[in-house]
Amino acid sequence: MQVLSLIRIRNLGLLPSRRHFTSIANTSTSSPSSSPSSSTTTSSPSHGSSCEALVDSLLLSTNNPNSNNNNNICLDLISSYNDLDDVSRLAFLNHLSTHHGPDLPSLSKYLSSLYTTHNPKVDTDNQTLAIDSATASSLHELSKPRYNALFPLLNASTTASTPTLINLRHDCLRLKGPRPLADALKDHLSKTFSPASLTLRPITYSGSPASVIEKVAKSESVHPLRSLPDLRSRLSPPMRCYGLFSGSLPVEAGPCVFVHVALMPGLTGEMREIEDARGRGEEHEATAAIFYSINSTQPGLSGISLGAHLIKSVASRLRSELPLLATCSTLSPVPGLRAWALEAGRRGEIDPNCLFEGRGRFLEAADPVGEFLDVMEGGEWMDEGGRVREVVRGPLERLAAGYLVKEKRNGKPLCGVAKFHLSNGSTLHRVTPFADMSARGVKRSWGVMVNYVYEGEEVEGAREFAGIKVGR
């Protein structure tokens, strides 16, 4: 029955100042400048109006929040929202933000009263207002959006509310809806999906429900699946897959986040080595656990730190099961490297002396960096046994290391993958050129991959570059 159920995977493509205070009451949350270009479903205008009327009834009602009436309204709201197309969903999100955000008239009135009733100390030069803790507390309460009350109302009405709240946040993000509403939903969902509420479970080809395997297959984004046998090999020894499951989601929703792990005889820096090891080797002989693909199945949970908890939980479990295991490392892509390098090269922001270490054929060119990038874009280096590959190996390695370590945004790595792993306690251990020669890997980073190790370890034969150790 398991295999027959998996036939559904064919559908996944696997088989072939003060003057402003009085105006606050007239200020509303701005709407996005553009509406979605297309709709995914069909709905009539009345559906959107129905959603707005239902949420108005809920949030403006003085009924007991646990009343059956409110529960029925919540169920109707969930059903109606799920029937909306993208245009109507965005209109509803804007309605929710505009009509049920902070109580702006009350906030405006209170702010104005601070200049009269309370007679506070005002610094007219700096346009600042001295207030006490009680006043600050009142301001905080008045600034809270009223739509915050909707989330627990929905949670109390049905177990189906959590997927709807996740979808609401996802819609806010993908449709460029009200950002404060998206942030409020994130805060609420962060509590629902706290680490203590999640369960770590292995996902296997022979032992997991077909719906879970299908969700894993559909959500794989780092190394897309090629076939059903490919999927089977990723879920069978010596490969492992683990997921974090929430009781707030139905079984068919699958894990919130999952990770593929290769149990290897040593640290590896290339995807080909992992692919060659599938179906071979003994788990009990493994000395390294390589986390090579981590994926979220719920876009609405973006930004909620589930991945870090998953990696650390799996690492702890594997160390307890495998006595020879010495290293837990990722094998991670560098998805923005190529795009960054081409733009930085065009702007003259790459130092050729650092890139080529003062030697090599490229320094003979009028534009050494431009010449190097032209060679990388030409593709001749893709010949594994060719001379060009060895010529570009060192510069490409240094280029990637410099990008990962030096390029920052707000003091953190520009590379999102590096930002994630380094902020969660790992160290950048090794940069390996030509490690992922798939079309996707070449397009994103000319095949470069990186090991982030979740424990301290020196690199034999490593050399210093840009403040990190980089070894081959």
Side-chain angles (χ1 to χ4, degrees):
M1 291 300 293
Q2 180 74 42
V3 175
L4 290 176
S5 297
L6 283 173
I7 291 176
R8 288 181 294 166
I9 295 178
R10 69 156 70 88
N11 296 324
L12 305 177
L14 295 182
L15 302 176
S17 108
R18 177 180 181 180
R19 65 180 179 272
H20 298 297
F21 290 162
T22 55
S23 66
I24 291 180
N26 297 321
T27 305
S28 62
T29 304
S30 59
S31 300
S33 58
S34 60
S35 59
S37 58
S38 63
S39 302
T40 57
T41 58
T42 302
S43 70
S44 66
S46 62
H47 284 140
S49 300
S50 174
C51 281
E52 293 169 4
L54 288 168
V55 79
D56 290 346
S57 176
L58 275 173
L59 296 180
L60 299 178
S61 172
T62 57
N63 292 337
N64 185 321
N66 295 316
S67 69
N68 289 331
N69 182 51
N70 276 358
N71 286 346
N72 291 333
I73 295 175
C74 286
L75 292 173
D76 288 343
L77 176 59
I78 290 172
S79 177
S80 297
Y81 185 79
N82 289 337
D83 288 337
L84 296 181
D85 61 19
D86 282 354
V87 173
S88 299
R89 288 190 179 201
L90 181 57
F92 171 75
L93 295 171
N94 285 327
H95 174 87
L96 188 59
S97 178
T98 301
H99 291 81
H100 301 288
D103 186 350
L104 297 180
S106 296
L107 181 59
S108 176
K109 183 177 179 180
Y110 185 74
L111 286 169
S112 297
S113 73
L114 293 179
Y115 283 90
T116 55
T117 306
H118 296 283
N119 191 25
K121 179 180 178 181
V122 179
D123 183 343
T124 55
D125 291 333
N126 296 319
Q127 293 294 306
T128 58
L129 179 67
I131 58 176
D132 56 24
S133 59
T135 303
S137 179
S138 296
L139 284 170
H140 177 69
E141 288 300 315
L142 286 170
S143 299
K144 287 182 178 179
R146 289 166 291 184
Y147 52 65
N148 279 357
L150 174 65
F151 312 150
L153 282 174
L154 291 174
N155 281 147
S157 66
T158 172
T159 55
S161 63
T162 299
T164 298
L165 291 171
I166 294 173
N167 289 337
L168 278 171
R169 182 163 186 266
H170 183 213
D171 291 342
C172 270
L173 297 175
R174 71 184 181 87
L175 302 177
K176 295 180 171 54
R179 190 70 199 197
L181 176 57
D183 291 343
L185 283 161
K186 178 183 176 182
D187 289 342
H188 179 80
L189 291 168
S190 294
K191 298 170 185 175
T192 303
F193 292 89
S194 65
S197 70
L198 302 173
T199 302
L200 178 68
R201 296 176 190 162
I203 300 170
T204 65
Y205 187 81
S206 60
S208 297
S211 60
V212 171
I213 296 177
E214 184 175 356
K215 191 70 173 182
V216 167
K218 183 177 181 180
S219 302
E220 174 59 52
S221 61
V222 181
H223 300 289
L225 291 159
R226 298 184 292 268
S227 64
L228 193 56
D230 182 26
L231 172 63
R232 184 188 298 113
S233 70
R234 298 189 192 196
L235 300 180
S236 303
M239 304 295 131
R240 292 198 185 182
C241 182
Y242 291 91
L244 288 178
F245 293 79
S246 170
S248 298
L249 295 175
V251 174
E252 58 268 20
C256 305
V257 60
F258 64 92
V259 63
H260 286 287
V261 187
L263 299 177
M264 304 289 287
L267 183 67
T268 178
E270 297 188 20
M271 272 306 300
R272 182 172 59 183
E273 295 178 11
I274 289 178
E275 292 168 353
D276 290 345
R278 289 174 182 162
R280 306 175 184 176
E282 298 293 337
E283 290 187 347
H284 68 273
E285 298 176 353
T287 64
I290 311 298
F291 300 78
Y292 66 92
S293 176
I294 183 167
N295 301 270
S296 172
T297 67
Q298 301 290 339
L301 297 180
S302 172
I304 298 175
S305 188
L306 301 178
H309 177 62
L310 174 61
I311 288 176
K312 293 174 182 178
S313 298
V314 173
S316 177
R317 179 164 179 164
L318 291 174
R319 288 191 184 105
S320 68
E321 293 180 4
L322 303 171
L324 298 182
L325 194 67
T327 303
C328 288
S329 171
T330 74
L331 180 57
S332 301
V334 192
L337 174 62
R338 176 173 168 267
W340 166 81
L342 293 175
E343 181 62 20
R346 185 185 66 81
R347 294 179 178 178
E349 297 173 350
I350 299 176
D351 183 358
N353 291 318
C354 182
L355 188 63
F356 306 115
E357 293 186 330
R359 63 180 185 273
R361 53 166 274 194
F362 290 107
L363 290 176
E364 299 172 3
D367 178 8
V369 173
E371 178 73 11
F372 167 74
L373 294 175
D374 285 344
V375 170
M376 294 306 301
E377 287 295 274
E380 189 178 348
W381 56 272
M382 295 180 67
D383 180 2
E384 186 174 356
R387 183 179 62 87
V388 174
R389 172 171 288 200
E390 290 310 308
V391 171
V392 300
R393 179 186 294 274
L396 179 59
E397 186 178 306
R398 290 187 288 273
L399 179 73
Y403 168 65
L404 292 169
V405 175
K406 289 186 174 182
E407 296 304 313
K408 308 282 187 180
R409 178 184 291 133
N410 298 324
K412 296 182 179 181
L414 180 62
C415 174
V417 177
K419 177 182 175 182
F420 170 79
H421 289 297
L422 296 177
S423 65
N424 285 301
S426 71
T427 57
L428 198 161
H429 175 79
R430 181 168 66 185
V431 175
T432 305
F434 323 126
D436 179 10
M437 294 305 292
S438 67
R440 184 184 179 93
V442 170
K443 182 178 180 180
R444 297 196 299 180
S445 64
W446 294 309
V448 173
M449 297 195 80
V450 179
N451 292 114
Y452 297 97
V453 174
Y454 276 82
E455 55 197 345
E457 186 176 22
E458 290 298 324
V459 186
E460 184 178 355
R463 52 195 169 77
E464 291 287 345
F465 176 79
I468 64 167
K469 299 257 188 182
V470 181
R472 299 198 178 200

